[in-house]
Amino acid sequence: MKLPALAIAAAFALGIACGLNPGITHRSSSHAFVAFLLGSAVTSLLIGVFFVWRSRVVVAALASLLCWVMPGVTAVCIEEQPRRADHILSLLDAWKINIKSPLGYYGRLADEPKILPWGTGYDIELSGVDYEGSFVPASGGLRLGYIAQIDRAAPLTLHTGDVIAVLTRAKLPKVFRDEGRN
């Protein structure tokens, strides 16, 4: 009973290993190549179904394994897609902004604020950063934590989609929640 699941996991891992091959990773930015990989996976699935129907189990099993290898390769290619030039991490890498000092960040709330034991957490989808007196368009996200204090008023009630501007000193997270998200 565990053998089919093990074979599927091994085939997917093989696809990931194949996708890390430099011959494939340099093509990963091509949308046509990613579409070709997905089409190959669907084709191998259809071949497998056809040969099961024709009682050719060995060919069907090989097509099924290929059907699981292709999504592994595709997953690596999708993960290797380059970030946009206006992504906040690309701006940091290119030294177009510096997060050592407090900056003004503009954007919209990507999700409802999270009530935490020590305050409130906000996920902001950025639209820009105020750096050295000029507005720099930016995309990406910013996680903001508001620590509740007794002598200060509570933050305004905000909801998903509300426009927000904050002045804060940001730092890169030690663990990214969703690194592949652009």
Side-chain angles (χ1 to χ4, degrees):
M1 194 59 125
K2 294 180 184 178
L3 187 61
L6 182 63
I8 290 171
F12 190 73
L14 176 67
I16 291 172
C18 290
L20 294 173
N21 180 344
I24 292 177
T25 55
H26 82 278
R27 291 185 179 94
S28 65
S29 62
S30 168
H31 294 294
F33 184 66
V34 173
F36 168 75
L37 291 172
L38 288 174
S40 298
V42 170
T43 302
S44 63
L45 177 67
L46 293 175
I47 289 170
V49 168
F50 175 75
F51 280 109
V52 163
W53 180 65
R54 301 276 293 171
S55 301
R56 307 280 174 128
V57 178
V58 174
V59 176
L62 290 175
S64 175
L65 288 177
L66 183 63
C67 182
W68 283 102
V69 168
M70 287 300 165
V73 175
T74 307
V76 171
C77 289
I78 290 172
E79 193 274 329
E80 291 290 323
Q81 295 287 318
R83 283 193 303 256
R84 294 173 36 175
D86 70 340
H87 192 274
I88 191 74
L89 295 177
S90 298
L91 294 173
L92 285 171
D93 290 342
W95 294 94
K96 292 184 179 177
I97 62 170
N98 186 354
I99 60 173
K100 300 272 187 212
S101 63
L103 299 174
Y105 295 90
Y106 302 93
R108 294 186 176 275
L109 283 182
D111 200 4
E112 286 293 317
K114 295 170 188 67
I115 305 302
L116 305 168
W118 54 87
T120 309
Y122 301 95
D123 286 330
I124 302 170
E125 188 64 39
L126 294 175
S127 61
V129 178
D130 200 6
Y131 180 66
E132 293 182 346
S134 63
F135 182 79
V136 178
S139 63
L142 174 71
R143 279 186 273 163
L144 176 70
Y146 177 82
I147 300 173
Q149 296 180 354
I150 297 172
D151 59 338
R152 297 207 179 150
L156 297 173
T157 304
L158 298 170
H159 298 286
T160 302
D162 288 349
V163 176
I164 187 169
V166 296
L167 178 64
T168 188
R169 182 170 173 226
K171 61 182 179 180
L172 292 174
K174 292 179 181 164
V175 177
F176 284 90
R177 195 178 313 164
D178 186 8
E179 190 175 334
R181 184 174 166 192
N182 286 327

